[in-house]
Amino acid sequence: MNELSPQKLTAKDYATDQEVRWCPGCGDYAILKSVQKTLADLEADPANTVFVSGIGCSSRFPYYMATYGFHTIHGRAPAFATGIKLANPDLDVWMVTGDGDGLSIGGNHLLHVLRRNVDIQILLFNNEIYGLTKGQYSPTSRPGTRSPSSPGGSIERNLNPCNFALAAGARFVARTVDTDQKHMPEILKRAHGHRGASFVEIYQNCIVFNDGVFADFTDKKAAPERQLRAEHGHRLVFGPNNEKGLRLNRDKVAIEIVTIGENGITEDDILVHDETDALLAQMLVTLDGPDAPVVVGVIYCNQADTYDAGVARQVAKAKIAKPNADMKELLFAGSTWTVD
Amino acid sequence: MATNLAQKPTASADKHVPASLESVVIRFAGDSGDGMQLTGTQFTHSTALMGTDLATFPDFPAEIRAPTGTTFGVSAYQINFGARRVLTAGDQPDVLVAMNPAALKTNLEALKPGGTLVVDIGSFNSRTLAKAGYTSDPLEDGTIAPYQVIRLDITRMTLESVKEFGLSNKDAIRCKNMWTLGLMLWMYGRQRQSVVDWLKGKFAKSQQLADANIAAVNAGHAFGETAELAGDMSHSTVGRAEVAPGVYRTITGAESLALGLVAGSKLAGLDIMFGSYPITPASTLLHQLARLKEHGVVTFQAEDEIAAICSAIGASFAGSLGVTSSSGPGIALKGEAMGLAISTELPLVIVNSQRGGPSTGLPTKTEQSDLYQAIYGRNGDAPLPVIASATPGDCFEVAIEAVRIATKYMTPVILLTDGYLANAAEPWPVPDFDSLKPFPVQFHTNPENFSPSSRDAKTLARNWAIPGTPGTEHRIGGIEKDFNTGNISYASDNHQLMTDTRWNKVLGIADDIPLQEITQGDATGDLVVVGWGSTFGPIYRAVEQSRAKGLNVSQIHVRYMWPLPKNLGELLKGFKQVLVPEMNKGQFATVLRDNYLVDAVRLNQVNGQPFKVSRLNQVIAEMLA
Ligand SMILES: Cc1ncc(C[n+]2csc(CCOP(=O)(O)OP(=O)(O)O)c2C)c(N)n1
Ligand code: SF4
Ligand SMILES: [Mg+2]
């Protein structure tokens, strides 16, 4: 062992010398900063860290991280990440994708990487638009979104990324906001600590093509009223004075928004967040209605066996069962005959 | 002359003295549910163990269980075995075994005039005849008159032979193929032990089924022994072929390919990460490799062919040998990712088991029509090496070559095989692994002045530094990269330089592959027949026969499809005429014409069948007339 422990890395040490090419004011900058800070906090080994992405503004991310990185092709990052983990399960793999990359062209792969529970962190930068191709509506764009390809407003229903992830069998689902430099590193650390596929949806503002889509709940002033930070073991409350909360309507198995102190409602009526409860998670990510808050934080976390570990186990088992497996034996397997 | 032996086999007093034949072609044909592929492979195995050379052609429908008794549900297995070198499955069967009317209907035409027809009359009734589309009974209306017919009620005799085991009627009838196998083993003096051993293993979980099937084999064999089968074909042997001394086994193309990939990975010192998505006829390779985990093989059944190749590329990035495999439709899906592997310069082996196209085409029939796709089929100037295997056994060597080239030149390599090669079996001299030259991969580990795009001056291969290595952290991707730093670069001169570099790297591989040899015949002359892939057998035989007739013809069989061997153009110029037979519309001919301005004459066939030697002979004769 080395006597002198290497100097602790700072966030800056995780940045490359490459000029960052996002538009000024793009939410991606804030995410980059948070990720670099997270890695520094985690004392992540750059040599053992890999960032994998697809194609999109968001997917340029690996170029700016002084780790190993692979900017692949549109939508397919989950498959590359899976291959990397199968080749070397010890690597710490982060995947970066966008709402188009991950949910449109790559929807199939995202579904399967979550279902298989490959041990990686997946950061989906949701800006509800195709940024790189200049602003067409995406699978997460809300109906009526006007864009170059939907001048009369989009007529598709939008997809809820976290609900998608839960339905795909994800065992870790979380949400955070690009500009929230305190919340995001906490969530990223949780994602990192989780063994298995950790899915994090990050609300990201595209200042050029979809500015302010999330402002109603991310603006400093609006946030307390419209954001609910879920924390395991704590009551699901929000509001400037935590005076509002979520209550289970047992007749309808639905969540309703209530105010503590009104209509005889006390704190005890408010649901306590249990991040291992899949049904609750689904209700939280699909919360809807004019006074419903957007739930952020770790919404679901319930560890399970991972795909890469399962594969490694089978290989190890086969090697134990046949310790002397060599090429010669393999070539001569089955019936042979000799011609002299 | 038709002989009817179904009624009462009589024991023959004087045993026939087996006639010795040089070679025989048998085709087993029956309903998909009749188990003809098993009959064929077991006959093959027994034959191989006796030192007879052979080639096979399994031909089965795309449907798993096509409706019983229909012509499109017929499954056939042809074997050519001989006391001489056997290179093709044979143009025309000498013997046809027809297990039902549909099999007779679809295969009788192929039978040699005067050939032997063994037919299960027990499967003939008005219903099955109608199913096969017969309006009158071919056994009675003169249809089979030109052949030597052996009529047997195989169905009934099988049921009798397994009666004591108390099987259900369905299971009992299933033993028909083993009864037939027993008879054919007797007819050609093949040993039965390997079949018995195999049945014991196959039915290890059911003593009853094992016993019944073995009894059926024995009954078929005993029937042959005691019945008086008329004519020359009744009981004959085919001797050992004159082959080089050594240890042999039978092998199909899919098996030898799997072995070759594993051998290649060991010679390179890497573990295989094989990403694939099931598709006929490529799935067999996935099945083969999935059982070789103890050799460090990881197989990943991906959600589609795109994910399959992407996972393999990811694995190569992380230091494994990424391998992916598919057939035409799946290879089409992999196109974009191949471009990424070319752009990021990562090793990768892409196996294409070609089948009839376009689109879904003919899943179970063979074709060589993906050559353009392999050499040219990507966006951008995206060259990669392409190599093709010629015989089932050759897949082994070709797979090792693919791994060697991929790792030495940091490039994806396409390996072309086809449905015929994947399934066909041949005796294979087991190679001496220790005599193969290792080509160990050296990962780059030195952080000093590291750039992911520094290149070997000779091979132009970029260095390969893998995640987990301190100090060589780097980013790669599909955007054009600066020649020196590997960072993103949109500079126009740099793109020219990088495109040229990728191009020259692949063309430079021509310096590292063997010069093209004349496969057969003189180095100059009146005609050369140029082939590639699985047409090797028929072309070899045709050129051999034509030469025996005194015709001035040579053969060149090409393995390295891209880049082409450096001397190929020179060789072709030594001949007055060039004939290129291909199971496509003339794709290699285009490549030859483009590269060498030679007047390559096309001979094309896409009927899902291998070339007939007789047809090639005819064309050769015409061109030299
Ligand atoms: C095969 C393929 N199809 C289309 C494109 C063009 N394309 C690039 S990025 C993109 C959409 C990206 O949207 P998103 O994933 O939301 O990323 P963002 O730019 O918004 O971060 C598209 C359609 C491509 N690069 N490759
Ligand atoms: S287009 Fe939008 S998402 Fe892309 S860099 Fe600019 S602001 Fe960011
Ligand atoms: Mg987007």
Side-chain angles (χ1 to χ4, degrees):
Chain A
M1 281 293 289
N2 207 333
E3 288 288 300
L4 296 163
S5 68
Q7 234 183 354
K8 208 169 158 284
L9 299 177
T10 67
K12 272 208 200 91
D13 296 317
Y14 291 91
T16 59
D17 60 355
Q18 294 299 291
E19 187 189 338
V20 183
R21 297 184 191 218
W22 289 310
C23 308
C26 174
D28 290 350
Y29 284 96
I31 304 174
L32 180 63
K33 215 173 130 197
S34 270
V35 171
Q36 288 168 344
K37 178 179 174 347
T38 303
L39 291 200
D41 290 352
L42 290 169
E43 298 184 29
D45 177 3
N48 211 46
T49 306
V50 186
F51 276 82
V52 187
S53 66
I55 298 289
C57 297
S58 36
S59 287
R60 291 292 177 93
F61 201 89
Y63 288 116
Y64 311 132
M65 294 298 302
T67 62
Y68 285 93
F70 203 166
H71 180 222
T72 69
I73 49 177
H74 200 18
R76 322 298 176 192
F80 289 91
T82 303
I84 291 169
K85 282 299 275 189
L86 291 180
N88 184 354
D90 296 335
L91 294 173
D92 192 7
V93 178
W94 297 77
M95 188 192 118
V96 176
T97 184
D99 43 313
D101 189 68
L103 294 168
S104 192
I105 190 166
N108 189 33
H109 308 303
L110 187 58
L111 163 74
H112 291 286
V113 79
L114 292 171
R115 172 180 73 85
R116 291 191 184 104
N117 200 27
V118 180
D119 186 16
I120 61 174
Q121 293 76 249
I122 299 169
L123 313 184
L124 187 139
F125 297 11
N126 184 8
N127 55 13
E128 297 190 0
I129 211 79
Y130 288 175
L132 193 66
T133 46
K134 298 197 164 51
Q136 300 85 355
Y137 68 97
S138 90
T140 57
S141 301
R142 287 164 235 185
T145 299
R146 289 183 192 274
S147 81
S149 59
S150 56
S154 64
I155 41 186
E156 298 174 19
R157 283 217 294 160
N158 54 324
L159 185 84
N160 177 327
C162 287
N163 200 24
F164 171 91
L166 286 168
R171 313 291 301 204
F172 181 99
V173 174
R175 261 187 198 148
T176 187
V177 176
D178 54 4
T179 47
D180 199 332
Q181 296 290 311
K182 221 173 91 51
H183 190 245
M184 196 185 317
E186 280 167 31
I187 298 301
L188 296 180
K189 277 176 220 165
R190 285 290 313 275
H192 184 262
H194 175 82
R195 274 196 57 231
S198 326
F199 180 82
V200 183
E201 177 188 12
I202 303 171
Y203 292 113
Q204 176 244 325
N205 191 43
C206 169
I207 197 168
V208 175
F209 296 113
N210 215 10
D211 193 22
V213 264
F214 306 120
D216 63 316
F217 65 89
T218 56
D219 265 4
K220 280 237 157 55
K221 265 185 272 158
E225 193 68 49
R226 299 274 293 110
Q227 254 185 56
L228 188 159
R229 293 180 173 222
E231 270 182 73
H232 186 62
H234 291 80
R235 293 197 190 277
L236 291 159
V237 290
F238 64 107
N241 304 306
N242 285 339
E243 72 283 11
K244 291 186 192 170
L246 308 185
R247 182 175 75 165
L248 186 67
N249 179 331
R250 284 165 209 277
D251 297 333
K252 291 201 284 187
V253 195
I255 281 178
E256 51 193 23
I257 316 296
V258 292
T259 307
I260 299 165
E262 278 180 16
N263 303 323
I265 288 168
T266 68
E267 206 172 290
D268 291 346
D269 292 316
I270 307 298
L271 273 170
V272 174
H273 183 42
D274 175 0
E275 62 186 22
T276 66
D277 183 338
L279 186 63
L280 176 63
Q282 209 219 343
M283 290 198 281
L284 292 180
V285 299
T286 52
L287 219 52
D288 202 14
D291 53 350
V294 172
V295 181
V296 297
V298 177
I299 296 165
Y300 185 59
C301 176
N302 193 358
Q303 210 141 298
D305 200 10
T306 71
Y307 179 71
D308 33 311
V311 170
R313 260 202 313 276
Q314 281 197 351
V315 171
K317 214 172 127 190
K319 284 182 173 166
I320 289 167
K322 295 184 189 166
N324 301 319
D326 74 345
M327 197 63 217
K328 264 190 256 175
E329 182 201 280
L330 183 60
L331 286 169
F332 285 91
S335 348
T336 58
W337 66 95
T338 305
V339 174
D340 3 69
Chain B
M1 215 201 66
T3 10
N4 195 335
L5 288 157
Q7 279 78 15
K8 206 170 253 154
T10 47
S12 80
D14 53 356
K15 285 247 157 91
H16 284 281
V17 177
S20 191
L21 303 173
E22 201 185 39
S23 71
V24 179
V25 179
I26 304 178
R27 185 184 294 183
F28 298 95
D31 195 66
S32 306
D34 282 342
M36 289 298 98
Q37 300 301 322
L38 292 179
T39 309
T41 47
Q42 286 309 310
F43 189 89
T44 299
H45 196 51
S46 165
T47 297
L49 288 176
M50 296 182 69
T52 310
D53 201 12
L54 61 88
T56 71
F57 177 43
D59 189 13
F60 43 86
E63 292 74 18
I64 303 301
R65 291 272 183 275
T68 315
T70 55
T71 50
F72 58 89
V74 172
S75 172
Y77 188 103
Q78 185 163 315
I79 169 168
N80 182 5
F81 55 111
R84 56 166 163 81
R85 193 160 171 222
V86 174
L87 296 165
T88 75
D91 280 7
Q92 280 184 311
D94 300 302
V95 183
L96 171 65
V97 179
M99 300 299 285
N100 72 357
L104 182 69
K105 178 137 203 212
T106 46
N107 288 281
L108 190 61
E109 206 190 345
L111 184 60
K112 188 156 123 188
T116 302
L117 170 67
V118 177
V119 58
D120 175 18
I121 60 169
S123 69
F124 281 63
N125 57 47
S126 54
R127 198 175 42 81
T128 57
L129 285 168
K131 261 265 179 70
Y134 276 121
T135 46
S136 69
D137 185 351
L139 302 182
E140 306 303 335
D141 66 6
T143 305
I144 58 174
Y147 310 98
Q148 210 179 284
V149 184
I150 303 176
R151 296 164 185 252
L152 302 171
D153 193 341
I154 296 177
T155 307
R156 183 179 58 78
M157 289 190 282
T158 303
L159 290 177
E160 266 170 30
S161 70
V162 302
K163 211 162 55 194
E164 62 178 288
F165 301 100
L167 299 183
S168 67
N169 194 52
K170 200 170 131 220
D171 281 343
I173 284 187
R174 280 231 176 113
C175 298
K176 254 168 62 166
N177 64 335
M178 289 298 119
W179 193 96
T180 310
L181 176 60
L183 176 68
M184 299 312 287
L185 291 174
W186 172 79
M187 267 198 189
Y188 293 97
R190 310 285 95 185
Q191 54 80 28
R192 256 174 303 165
Q193 193 53 45
S194 65
V195 178
V196 171
D197 293 345
W198 171 78
L199 284 169
K200 282 184 184 153
K202 181 174 164 69
F203 295 113
K205 293 217 176 83
S206 164
Q207 188 69 39
Q208 188 194 24
L209 283 178
D211 290 346
N213 276 280
I214 292 168
V217 173
N218 289 336
H221 195 270
F223 177 84
E225 229 163 36
T226 48
E228 241 175 66
L229 294 173
D232 283 345
M233 306 303 284
S234 60
H235 184 200
S236 29
T237 73
V238 173
R240 297 175 83 102
E242 276 299 322
V243 290
V247 180
Y248 284 75
R249 62 180 280 190
T250 53
I251 200 146
T252 64
E255 287 165 346
S256 96
L257 192 52
L259 292 177
L261 288 169
V262 176
S265 75
K266 295 196 182 216
L267 294 170
L270 300 175
D271 282 342
I272 289 183
M273 207 309 281
F274 181 81
S276 192
Y277 184 77
I279 184 170
T280 304
S283 309
T284 336
L285 184 58
L286 169 61
H287 305 165
Q288 296 283 341
L289 289 171
R291 309 149 134 248
L292 299 179
K293 295 195 169 57
E294 63 274 18
H295 292 276
V297 178
V298 168
T299 53
F300 172 54
Q301 180 176 311
E303 56 271 25
D304 60 24
E305 285 87 348
I306 300 173
I309 186 171
C310 293
S311 66
I313 296 172
S316 284
F317 174 64
S320 278
L321 172 66
V323 182
T324 188
S325 103
S326 190
S327 188
I331 298 291
L333 288 176
K334 295 179 195 289
E336 186 196 7
M338 283 186 214
L340 179 71
I342 291 169
S343 173
T344 53
E345 302 185 60
L346 283 169
L348 176 72
V349 177
I350 303 145
V351 179
N352 181 358
S353 297
Q354 299 169 92
R355 67 188 215 182
S359 186
T360 305
L362 301 172
T364 60
K365 308 289 176 198
T366 199
E367 214 163 275
Q368 310 181 282
S369 44
D370 297 344
L371 183 66
Y372 286 162
Q373 184 193 41
I375 300 181
Y376 307 121
R378 288 162 295 280
N379 61 305
D381 281 306
L384 58 72
V386 179
I387 56 179
S389 52
T391 65
D394 188 44
C395 291
F396 180 77
E397 272 181 46
V398 167
I400 292 175
E401 261 301 78
V403 177
R404 181 186 73 88
I405 293 171
T407 50
K408 181 165 176 185
Y409 291 89
M410 296 292 282
T411 177
V413 176
I414 290 184
L415 191 166
L416 292 175
T417 170
D418 62 35
Y420 170 70
L421 289 178
N423 294 310
E426 68 176 13
W428 186 54
V430 182
D432 173 16
F433 183 67
D434 292 338
S435 72
L436 301 173
K437 199 167 159 239
F439 40 85
V441 163
Q442 297 291 334
F443 292 121
H444 186 98
T445 52
N446 183 0
E448 214 152 308
N449 296 324
F450 172 75
S451 154
S453 51
S454 46
R455 291 172 193 284
D456 181 283
K458 193 151 155 267
T459 62
L460 296 183
R462 78 169 183 93
N463 60 27
W464 190 8
I466 60 171
T469 317
T472 56
E473 292 84 358
H474 65 279
R475 278 68 48 196
I476 57 171
I479 299 181
E480 189 58 283
K481 287 156 286 288
D482 182 80
F483 181 83
N484 296 309
T485 63
N487 291 328
I488 291 180
S489 165
Y490 297 104
S492 47
D493 287 353
N494 180 68
H495 179 56
Q496 178 79 52
L497 178 61
M498 287 300 284
T499 303
D500 293 344
T501 304
R502 288 187 286 262
W503 188 253
N504 291 334
K505 178 175 87 167
V506 170
L507 286 189
I509 295 170
D511 291 328
D512 193 22
I513 59 175
L515 290 178
Q516 180 64 48
E517 286 179 2
I518 303 283
T519 311
Q520 189 183 180
D522 304 324
T524 58
D526 293 342
L527 173 65
V528 63
V529 186
V530 181
W532 66 279
S534 72
T535 53
F536 172 77
I539 296 177
Y540 190 94
R541 188 56 86 213
V543 170
E544 188 183 52
Q545 290 176 0
S546 298
R547 289 177 60 76
K549 278 185 253 161
L551 296 178
N552 183 344
V553 54
S554 298
Q555 177 189 10
I556 289 178
H557 203 75
V558 181
R559 170 190 278 181
Y560 298 89
M561 308 304 291
W562 196 262
L564 293 160
K566 283 200 297 191
N567 62 334
L568 181 59
E570 254 343 282
L571 286 181
L572 296 182
K573 292 204 174 85
F575 294 90
K576 292 196 187 110
Q577 298 185 81
V578 176
L579 173 67
V580 188
E582 288 179 88
M583 295 187 291
N584 60 40
K585 291 300 281 178
Q587 301 188 6
F588 192 41
T590 307
V591 176
L592 294 176
R593 284 168 164 262
D594 174 36
N595 282 274
Y596 306 123
L597 288 173
V598 290
D599 185 12
V601 176
R602 292 180 165 93
L603 175 61
N604 305 118
Q605 162 181 315
V606 284
N607 60 358
Q609 304 290 318
F611 272 104
K612 285 202 156 87
V613 176
S614 54
R615 175 156 187 236
L616 295 171
N617 274 331
Q618 193 190 338
V619 175
I620 291 170
E622 280 166 16
M623 286 182 77
L624 293 174

